[in-house]
Amino acid sequence: MKTLIKNVTAILADGKAKAVNIAVEGDKIKAIGEVPADFSADMTIDGKGKLAIPGFVNAHTHVSMTLLRSYADDMRLMDWLENKIWPIEAKMKKEDIYWGAMLGIAEMIKSGTTAFADMYGDMEMVAKAVEESGMRAALSRGIIGTAPNGAQALEENCQLFENWNGAADGRITVMFGPHAPYTCPPEFLRKVVEKAQHYKAEIHIHLAETATEVKDCLKQYQKTPIALMEEVGVLDCGVLAAHCVHVNDADIKIMKAHNIRVAHNPCSNMKLASGIAPVPKMLKEGLCVALGTDGASSNNNLDMLEEINLSALLHKVDTLDPLAVPAAQALALGTENGAKALNYADVGVLAVGKKADITLFKMEGPRWTPSYDLTSLLVYSANGSMVSDVLIDGRIVLDNGRLTTIDEERVIYETKKCAERLTKN
């Protein structure tokens, strides 16, 4: 398949916006600027009045929790988990996981996200949804070591790796997903490390999300969650660490030594009053910081632009520095850094030879007027409803606002049925 995006304004790898043509052949970008004379497009997208950027990368989700949107809000994290979320999740069936994932993926694509990292139960169903939708994803089976099914969940993660790593034309990769230090004690985490090293897989885990978590870890183990993970060997596997809100200078030094990639979740952290992660400090130290929406972010608001906007504004307020996370850097957190966080070497920038994961925005209406700086407008003014077209792996999955790989009407119908059954007394 050959696609030509004609006369589009694109934010290129150097951060500059430029009027170009983008030629896509197969799953890669073949040319940017002048298109080779012998390039014959099977499909042409009129890019006039549109802005092309690399597809957003959502670095931390529990995508099937989209099914629980508005079910339990305005609660503290552990109260929310123990008294609302975990009980209803125990009632979920395979179909619930599948349709919840499809709903979240549809929302992600429609708001410009082309890849995500997910951790949840029954990930075979999520993998199926990813494969069918054309999405790109790094999947891990959420594992709670203290639960009765902890050992079984670890084995399911092994099976997930064997069945799905590299599947869907390479769009699916698999990591191991121990939930957190407070649900996975050291002896269990060492078993996870052993399995991850056997498969040469990486680990996706929640770390230092709340002050209480850090306080309890210090009391029980005399170490912070980050230091504890170093001791048990988790950080030797290659780690995508969600949150990292309450980390000190010693933690950041450890994280840097092990090249830990951080999935920052500003909306979730604000909603749960977890605190403000020291993102400017982590960036200054050279850590890869990406953005995620988490399962607690409106269960799930998957508009990555909201996360990008908050990441910029929140840290300006926290540091009293207008340059703490400027617009261009905030955008990079949601694109290029997200790709690095998920270990995608060929995703995250618009450049020849890279994967054709591309999002187009319609630049029209009051929010795009006047247009002095397109990156600034995108970060501070635009929203996900302005996305018009999305390509993943060179395939058009959103065509002028219409999903091409997902039956949106059916997804909404099926998720409503699932929600009614789950909440029925």
Side-chain angles (χ1 to χ4, degrees):
M1 179 74 175
K2 295 181 181 180
T3 302
L4 176 64
I5 305 173
K6 192 174 181 180
N7 300 324
V8 72
T9 301
I11 297 179
L12 302 177
D14 60 5
K16 296 179 180 177
K18 186 178 180 181
V20 296
N21 296 312
I22 302 175
V24 173
E25 185 170 346
D27 62 352
K28 290 185 172 61
I29 297 173
K30 181 178 179 63
I32 296 178
E34 290 299 320
V35 177
D38 60 350
F39 183 83
S40 178
D42 302 302
M43 173 75 69
T44 299
I45 298 173
D46 183 3
K48 187 177 181 181
K50 295 182 179 182
L51 179 67
I53 67 167
F56 293 132
V57 180
N58 190 338
H60 180 65
T61 70
H62 310 290
V63 69
S64 295
M65 289 181 74
T66 312
L67 185 61
L68 306 180
R69 192 198 317 268
S70 79
Y71 169 70
D73 287 329
D74 303 326
M75 302 173 69
R76 289 184 171 86
L77 176 62
M78 293 315 298
D79 184 26
W80 178 78
L81 285 172
E82 292 174 351
N83 297 311
K84 286 291 186 178
I85 298 303
W86 287 342
I88 198 170
E89 285 179 338
K91 297 164 62 177
M92 282 187 172
K93 299 179 179 179
K94 288 181 180 293
E95 64 200 71
D96 302 317
I97 303 294
Y98 173 79
W99 289 115
M102 270 299 195
L103 180 65
I105 290 170
E107 189 175 3
M108 280 195 275
I109 290 174
K110 292 191 76 172
S111 58
T113 295
T114 56
F116 69 107
D118 197 56
M119 176 198 295
Y120 210 55
D122 212 331
M123 292 301 290
E124 298 272 345
M125 292 294 99
V126 179
K128 184 172 183 284
V130 169
E131 182 177 45
E132 292 173 1
S133 65
M135 248 293 188
R136 189 183 306 281
L139 307 179
S140 53
R141 198 325 183 171
I143 306 166
I144 296 179
T146 54
N149 71 337
Q152 178 187 338
L154 178 55
E155 183 55 36
E156 288 174 6
N157 207 145
C158 296
Q159 291 300 313
L160 181 72
F161 189 96
E162 292 178 4
N163 295 339
W164 288 96
N165 190 54
D169 298 320
R171 288 184 286 105
I172 295 177
T173 55
V174 175
M175 306 171 82
F176 278 73
H179 174 259
Y182 59 87
T183 56
C184 295
E187 58 271 21
F188 186 84
L189 284 171
R190 289 188 176 95
K191 295 177 182 178
V192 176
V193 169
E194 183 181 350
K195 292 293 187 182
Q197 290 177 339
H198 171 76
Y199 287 103
K200 296 182 174 59
E202 295 197 322
I203 288 176
H204 183 182
I205 186 171
H206 301 81
L207 289 177
E209 181 175 0
T210 66
T212 299
E213 174 193 340
V214 176
K215 181 181 176 182
D216 290 347
C217 193
L218 285 166
K219 183 178 179 180
Q220 187 170 5
Y221 301 108
Q222 294 75 54
K223 292 181 182 293
T224 65
I226 300 294
L228 181 63
M229 294 305 96
E230 182 180 44
E231 181 181 90
V232 299
V234 168
L235 304 189
D236 295 330
C237 297
V239 169
L240 173 60
H243 299 292
C244 298
V245 176
H246 299 275
V247 291
N248 58 32
D249 290 346
D251 290 329
I252 292 174
K253 185 176 181 180
I254 293 171
M255 294 162 70
K256 185 176 181 180
H258 292 274
N259 192 30
I260 304 309
R261 293 102 62 199
V262 177
H264 174 41
N265 304 273
C267 282
S268 173
N269 295 342
M270 286 187 68
K271 186 174 182 183
L272 292 169
S274 298
I276 301 175
V279 168
K281 181 179 287 189
M282 290 192 281
L283 290 171
K284 186 177 180 181
E285 291 298 318
L287 291 178
C288 175
V289 180
L291 295 175
T293 56
D294 199 7
S297 183
S298 301
N299 297 316
N300 240 335
N301 178 355
L302 295 169
D303 188 346
M304 281 296 294
L305 272 175
E306 183 174 356
E307 308 291 328
I308 290 168
N309 177 267
L310 271 179
S311 190
L313 295 179
L314 195 61
H315 297 102
K316 294 182 196 301
V317 173
D318 188 47
T319 61
L320 301 179
D321 181 359
L323 298 178
V325 182
Q329 188 172 38
L331 180 59
L333 300 190
T335 53
E336 185 174 4
N337 283 24
K340 291 176 181 176
L342 273 58
N343 247 344
Y344 295 154
D346 50 3
V347 173
V349 294
L350 297 184
V352 174
K354 297 291 186 180
K355 290 282 190 179
D357 288 11
I358 305 170
T359 292
L360 302 184
F361 284 82
K362 286 184 179 179
M363 295 188 293
E364 58 186 35
R367 283 178 174 263
W368 288 95
T369 308
S371 55
Y372 303 118
D373 185 321
L374 294 180
T375 299
S376 234
L377 283 174
L378 180 65
V379 171
Y380 296 128
S381 184
N383 60 52
S385 68
M386 299 172 181
V387 172
S388 61
D389 307 88
V390 175
L391 285 75
I392 303 175
D393 233 27
R395 181 183 185 185
I396 299 172
V397 294
L398 187 73
D399 183 4
N400 199 25
R402 181 184 65 85
L403 292 164
T404 65
T405 59
I406 298 174
D407 184 339
E408 184 175 357
E409 187 176 343
R410 186 184 177 193
V411 168
I412 292 171
Y413 171 78
E414 295 290 353
T415 50
K416 284 182 177 178
K417 277 192 1 182
C418 293
E420 288 170 4
R421 180 178 52 77
L422 286 170
T423 56
K424 188 176 181 179
N425 292 330

